[in-house]
Amino acid sequence: EAIFLCQLCAVFLDGRRIVDSNKLALAVRSLCVLILFCRRIVLERLQAASKGDLGNGELSSFLTEVVPMLCQVLTKLICYKGQLNLHHTCLWKLALEALFYIVEDSLTCLEQCEVDDRYWDALASSLSKVADVLRLTADDDAGLLSQVFSNLLMQRLLVCTKTPIAMAERAVGLLQVLVRDGMGSPSLRHFFALCETEAAQAPEPSEDSEDAKLSV
């Protein structure tokens, strides 16, 4: 399964190989296959783990070895500008959607297995680059995509009990950047507006006060 995904990415999802409309069409189909194949792997591993048919080692290996590779490939495709400027096609948006699906599906598995820093480093890098792309995109879909992105961070990443503090802080920082640029969902902007209002009305804590300690 891992070899198949590596070959799929290398042959069809390398921006340097997408030089004409035929390669573009193959890349679009490959993204659909990628989403379905990864989701099948996740569901099969979760079902097997719930029945006790195998340990969580295979699921953990998929999350820590395969998912970071997929995040890297999709992020490069989202940001790639080459002979055929992919940013002027729909492909980067489909790659972005595929990345969102993979991140969301992988986060649901964390209650069943353990992952190391490779997983979180890949997520942090990809999400930061995606936020930069969304901020620099001026088309009509940027607002909708930023809402999907902010919902992924708020409703999936930040509520996950396995999310490290550093990763949560990074996610909050990305959300703040989106709100500052007028992006993200209306509920997100309203939430940060309330936080700023409460912070302005709160009394100034002393340096030795426990209230002075900041947390996500």
Side-chain angles (χ1 to χ4, degrees):
E1 294 169 338
I3 294 176
F4 170 77
L5 289 172
C6 289
Q7 292 296 321
L8 181 71
C9 293
V11 175
F12 298 113
L13 298 179
D14 186 345
R16 295 169 298 180
R17 296 176 179 267
I18 306 174
V19 295
D20 54 41
S21 58
N22 291 328
K23 297 294 180 59
L24 180 63
L26 288 173
V28 171
R29 288 172 173 80
S30 298
L31 286 172
C32 298
V33 173
L34 181 69
I35 295 171
L36 294 175
F37 193 77
C38 289
R39 181 156 287 185
R40 192 200 73 176
I41 292 175
V42 168
L43 292 176
E44 287 182 350
R45 297 293 187 274
L46 287 175
Q47 184 179 22
S50 65
K51 294 180 178 179
D53 294 339
L54 75 166
N56 296 329
E58 292 187 18
L59 183 58
S60 178
S61 177
F62 176 75
L63 295 181
T64 56
E65 297 178 9
V66 179
V67 169
M69 181 272 296
L70 296 178
C71 289
Q72 183 181 26
V73 169
L74 293 173
T75 303
K76 286 183 177 180
L77 195 58
I78 294 167
C79 303
Y80 184 79
K81 293 180 181 180
Q83 181 177 352
L84 179 64
N85 194 337
L86 299 181
H87 207 71
H88 294 307
T89 70
C90 66
L91 184 62
W92 76 273
K93 299 176 183 178
L94 294 177
L96 183 60
E97 184 178 1
L99 178 64
F100 289 164
Y101 277 124
I102 290 174
V103 171
E104 183 176 9
D105 289 345
S106 64
L107 287 172
T108 62
C109 302
L110 297 183
E111 297 295 335
Q112 303 293 331
C113 64
E114 298 293 333
V115 295
D116 56 30
D117 291 341
R118 288 175 293 176
Y119 174 81
W120 297 112
D121 290 344
L123 257 62
S125 176
S126 294
L127 294 176
S128 297
K129 292 177 181 178
V130 165
D132 292 337
V133 170
L134 292 176
R135 292 173 54 231
L136 297 175
T137 301
D139 61 16
D140 296 335
D141 292 333
L144 177 60
L145 292 173
S146 69
Q147 292 185 32
V148 177
F149 179 68
S150 62
N151 288 337
L152 175 67
L153 297 182
M154 289 186 65
Q155 302 178 17
R156 293 294 184 266
L157 182 62
L158 289 177
V159 301
C160 178
T161 58
K162 295 296 185 71
T163 301
I165 295 297
M167 185 69 227
E169 291 175 344
R170 175 75 68 89
V172 172
L174 295 176
L175 291 173
Q176 288 177 326
V177 171
L178 290 179
V179 172
R180 184 186 62 196
D181 293 345
M183 306 181 74
S185 62
S187 60
L188 174 66
R189 295 195 296 271
H190 180 64
F191 172 75
F192 273 93
L194 290 176
C195 292
E196 291 177 357
T197 301
E198 292 181 1
Q201 296 175 351
E204 188 71 21
S206 63
E207 293 184 358
D208 296 333
S209 173
E210 188 69 21
D211 296 334
K213 296 182 179 179
L214 299 179
S215 66
V216 175

